[in-house]
Amino acid sequence: MASFSQYVVKETTTNLWRNRVTTAAAVFTVMISLFLVGASLVLGQGASNAEIKWQQGTLVTVWMEPGASAQEIAAVQTQLDAFPYVHGCYYRTQAQDYEEAQHLLTATELSVLKPEQIPSSIRCIPNESQDAKLVIAKFSGQPGVFGSPTAPIQYLKTIQRVITTAQYAVLVVALVLLLSSAVLILNTIRMAIFARKREVAVMKLVGATNWFIRVPFIFEGLVQGFIGSALAALFIWIGEAFWRVRTESQSPDGLLHQMLLSNWQLFWCETIVILLGMTIGSIGSAIAIRRFLDV
Amino acid sequence: MPIGALWRPEIMIKLDHVTKTYKNGTIALDDVSLEIEKGEFVFLVGSSGSGKTTFLRLLLREELPDRGTIWEAGRDIVNLPKWRVPYLRRNIGCVFQDFRLLQNKTVFENVAFALEVIGRPKSVIEAQVPQVLELVGLAHKRDNLPSELSGGEQQRVAIARAFVNRPLILLADEPTGNLDPKISEGIMSLLDRINKSGTTVVMATHDKALVDRMRLRVIELDHGTLVRDQHRGVYGIDGDGGVQR
Ligand SMILES: Nc1ncnc2c1ncn2[C@@H]1O[C@H](COP(=O)(O)OP(=O)(O)O)[C@@H](O)[C@H]1O
Ligand SMILES: [Mg+2]
């Protein structure tokens, strides 16, 4: 068995080196396509991470006109307390909202705002995050209410739609590339088979088993798929690390921050990428062997 | 019919009403029946296209007959499952007119390759290859490439490769077809020595002088039909001495 594995390694390296240009092309395409697949996986995982975090902290904010009267504020508050989809509200004064704005806005933005121009607000916790919509619908345009109530969930949904669209676009490109990388691998294996036609004929003649003849070719495809996907995994890892460093300085409420993957999630994305690469490699070589290797 | 009823232990090859038709309709062998005993040396003669190569390909199970049965070393090879074919071939050595050596491997590597690809360990290879190179008289050329050898020497390497695994049967398809008479003599005596060691040899040939001189069993095919099977035979139609079976 030791001599068989030595044999396979020797044959595979010889073949890969003999066809190094086509091998490089195949590996490169595998890398690009799997990098895109991985990026799409990471994005999807990130979007669902953010969704979970935002849903946990969904607040609906009913903004009150800066000049709203106390009665108007009280009326809205009473209605909210009676509203069945909400299980708790609290009032924040203009001063409190101004203080919050100081954390969220830049100095230039703040310089044009005066505390008395800031709306006061009633913050409510909906029973379910999707109930936020009902609050928004009911209280928009009520006397004393400033604009429409807001909930981060809406903003998130828009972001998510963008991410999902991007994810699918990337996935489609990735699949096309994945297909072409399988074809490229198939082609290098085909060339390896033709280059070794005489060897294969002798092997059959002296009684080498079919698997003995096939394994080096299958292994060659597997190695190409593996190298390509390992490179892709490496670049995804670098990209993620870069993203992590860039978002560290930002507020933990920021979208990019909340999308960050846990180590386990990243590990799974990388694993899927590598398994996919090896699958593509074996499929490419399996087809080449079926079509071009007569054993 | 049980094989045991037909089988005598000294029979190495047995064909029973074997017919082979190629896909294009050519009948390459037509109802051939014969037995070859263990340790025999058989010449297979006949004009070009008479079916000699087809006969050998059937014995190697590179082709299947459309009718009839073939036994080799006690096995029905027609009904042998596909995965057993490599193991059958390990018992059969074969050499060809065109040598079929691997040009990028040395003499030693060419012979070693035959053992390597059937999973023989290095120690066995190191022991058996020099031995067989000694037998064919090429021990001193073990590190040469085939391109550095004469035709006769290349055929010796091919014979060494066919014989290194000590097969029960050696098939040779016009092994002297590309060689001049003097060199052919040497190849012939090498095959003769291999035969004397107990290996059954079947050699397809066009070499009249050789067949006539050796006076061994001659099987003649004509358009796929067995027309002559003669002990101590000669190449052409025999006027004297041949023993009709
Ligand atoms: N693969 C093949 N397909 C079709 N016809 C073949 C094939 N191989 C051989 N033949 C035909 O079968 C006949 C016997 O050929 P062959 O066994 O090669 O004869 P020999 O070796 O005696 O010259 C010839 O007519 C030849 O043309
Ligand atoms: Mg022939």
Side-chain angles (χ1 to χ4, degrees):
Chain A
M1 236 31 222
S3 69
F4 181 58
S5 42
Q6 269 172 19
Y7 164 83
V8 170
V9 168
K10 194 182 75 185
E11 290 301 308
T12 306
T13 40
T14 314
N15 283 343
L16 289 174
W17 182 246
R18 177 161 39 207
N19 300 322
R20 53 194 173 277
V21 177
T22 41
T23 298
V27 166
F28 189 73
T29 321
V30 172
M31 183 190 84
I32 301 281
S33 56
L34 285 176
F35 178 77
L36 293 178
V37 170
S40 155
L41 287 174
V42 167
L43 270 179
Q45 185 62 59
S48 88
N49 286 354
E51 182 172 11
I52 289 164
K53 287 198 180 124
W54 286 66
Q55 275 185 355
Q56 284 164 351
T58 305
L59 272 184
V60 188
T61 307
V62 181
W63 303 100
M64 302 307 293
E65 295 278 3
S69 66
Q71 290 97 316
E72 280 172 336
I73 293 169
V76 171
Q77 221 164 349
T78 318
Q79 280 188 65
L80 271 171
D81 285 338
F83 200 58
Y85 301 99
V86 163
H87 73 75
C89 295
Y90 57 93
Y91 180 69
R92 287 170 67 91
T93 61
Q94 283 177 292
Q96 282 169 324
D97 278 352
Y98 184 73
E99 200 191 314
E100 188 186 61
Q102 283 178 319
H103 293 299
L104 295 175
L105 302 179
T106 62
T108 16
E109 285 166 334
L110 273 177
S111 66
V112 299
L113 276 176
K114 297 198 177 68
E116 60 270 25
Q117 290 174 324
I118 296 275
S120 65
S121 60
I122 305 165
R123 312 273 166 113
C124 302
I125 301 157
N127 290 340
E128 303 273 345
S129 63
Q130 56 264 39
D131 292 341
K133 284 201 287 282
L134 301 171
V135 179
I136 294 164
K138 183 164 169 62
F139 291 92
S140 299
Q142 285 231 6
V145 171
F146 175 78
S148 290
T150 56
I153 201 82
Q154 278 183 314
Y155 165 61
L156 183 70
K157 285 279 183 255
T158 315
I159 297 284
Q160 257 176 343
R161 244 198 324 277
V162 172
I163 289 175
T164 312
T165 312
Q167 203 187 350
Y168 280 123
V170 168
L171 216 53
V172 167
V173 175
L175 285 179
V176 171
L177 283 174
L178 219 52
L179 206 69
S180 49
S181 49
V183 172
L184 279 171
I185 288 177
L186 190 153
N187 192 44
T188 59
I189 306 297
R190 185 180 66 103
M191 286 174 64
I193 290 172
F194 284 158
R196 302 191 67 233
K197 237 183 159 64
R198 295 177 69 92
E199 264 109 325
V200 169
V202 171
M203 285 164 91
K204 283 199 281 186
L205 214 56
V206 300
T209 58
N210 291 348
W211 281 109
F212 195 96
I213 298 173
R214 283 179 189 144
V215 161
F217 296 113
I218 295 176
F219 194 64
E220 188 184 332
L222 208 65
V223 165
Q224 292 182 19
F226 176 75
I227 295 176
S229 60
L231 287 173
L234 177 71
F235 284 119
I236 290 164
W237 185 77
I238 291 173
E240 208 269 351
F242 193 64
W243 171 14
R244 194 173 286 277
V245 170
R246 284 296 297 271
T247 49
E248 225 139 54
S249 55
Q250 292 184 7
S251 134
D253 291 335
L255 179 69
L256 285 180
H257 206 286
Q258 298 200 325
M259 280 176 72
L260 274 177
L261 269 57
S262 72
N263 284 340
W264 270 108
Q265 289 170 340
L266 186 63
F267 172 78
W268 277 116
C269 290
E270 303 272 47
T271 307
I272 290 171
V273 162
I274 288 177
L275 288 181
L276 215 54
M278 289 167 72
T279 310
I280 288 294
S282 346
I283 289 175
S285 47
I287 295 173
I289 284 165
R290 280 189 70 98
R291 287 203 41 200
F292 304 109
L293 189 65
D294 183 26
V295 294
Chain B
M1 210 184 312
I3 294 175
L6 296 167
W7 195 256
R8 283 176 286 133
E10 65 271 27
I11 300 297
M12 185 56 77
I13 298 168
K14 179 181 164 78
L15 276 73
D16 195 29
H17 300 288
V18 170
T19 297
K20 172 67 191 176
T21 316
Y22 284 110
K23 279 198 196 74
N24 61 6
T26 314
I27 300 170
L29 284 181
D30 191 2
D31 196 30
V32 173
S33 297
L34 58 84
E35 290 179 357
I36 296 171
E37 287 174 16
K38 182 174 192 305
E40 260 194 294
F41 194 118
V42 178
F43 285 119
L44 194 58
V45 303
S47 53
S48 177
S50 58
K52 304 183 294 297
T53 298
T54 304
F55 182 92
L56 298 178
R57 285 171 61 81
L58 284 172
L59 293 185
L60 268 174
R61 231 194 89 146
E62 286 194 331
E63 298 285 351
L64 281 170
D66 18 64
R67 250 172 309 160
T69 334
I70 304 171
W71 286 280
E72 262 176 310
R75 275 203 202 92
D76 172 358
I77 69 157
V78 176
N79 295 308
L80 199 66
K82 207 168 171 236
W83 68 270
R84 297 279 313 248
V85 172
Y87 301 97
L88 167 75
R89 291 189 184 153
R90 290 177 191 190
N91 289 317
I92 307 172
C94 46
V95 293
F96 303 91
Q97 185 170 357
D98 58 0
F99 320 137
R100 303 200 187 170
L101 299 177
L102 303 173
Q103 297 302 317
N104 56 343
K105 290 189 193 294
T106 64
V107 168
F108 184 93
E109 288 166 348
N110 262 286
V111 179
F113 188 68
L115 293 176
E116 230 171 72
V117 301
I118 60 171
R120 292 286 183 274
K122 223 181 165 116
S123 57
V124 170
I125 295 172
E126 299 288 344
Q128 290 193 359
V129 177
Q131 214 178 336
V132 79
L133 287 179
E134 195 70 49
L135 175 78
V136 302
L138 283 176
H140 60 294
K141 300 238 165 157
R142 54 172 281 164
D143 294 323
N144 287 77
L145 291 171
S147 56
E148 298 161 344
L149 304 179
S150 72
E153 287 170 332
Q154 290 189 47
Q155 192 59 293
R156 284 167 185 276
V157 178
I159 291 170
R161 181 179 65 191
F163 190 61
V164 69
N165 197 33
R166 306 293 145 140
L168 296 169
I169 302 168
L170 189 82
L171 306 177
D173 195 356
E174 310 201 20
T176 61
N178 276 344
L179 306 172
D180 50 40
K182 188 97 184 65
I183 306 294
S184 300
E185 288 291 330
I187 296 296
M188 185 60 227
S189 67
L190 178 56
L191 291 176
D192 193 35
R193 253 192 303 149
I194 284 175
N195 173 241
K196 294 268 160 47
S197 77
T199 304
T200 308
V201 180
V202 181
M203 171 171 164
T205 187
H206 267 131
D207 196 330
K208 181 177 187 310
L210 222 138
V211 175
D212 288 350
R213 191 176 55 79
M214 296 302 291
R215 286 277 163 159
L216 293 165
R217 183 175 171 191
V218 175
I219 292 171
E220 183 174 348
L221 293 172
D222 183 27
H223 292 95
T225 317
L226 196 149
V227 294
R228 182 163 62 114
D229 183 353
Q230 204 171 28
H231 272 279
R232 299 200 306 280
V234 293
Y235 187 84
I237 297 302
D238 194 23
D240 61 298
V243 178
Q244 203 75 32
R245 270 169 87 100

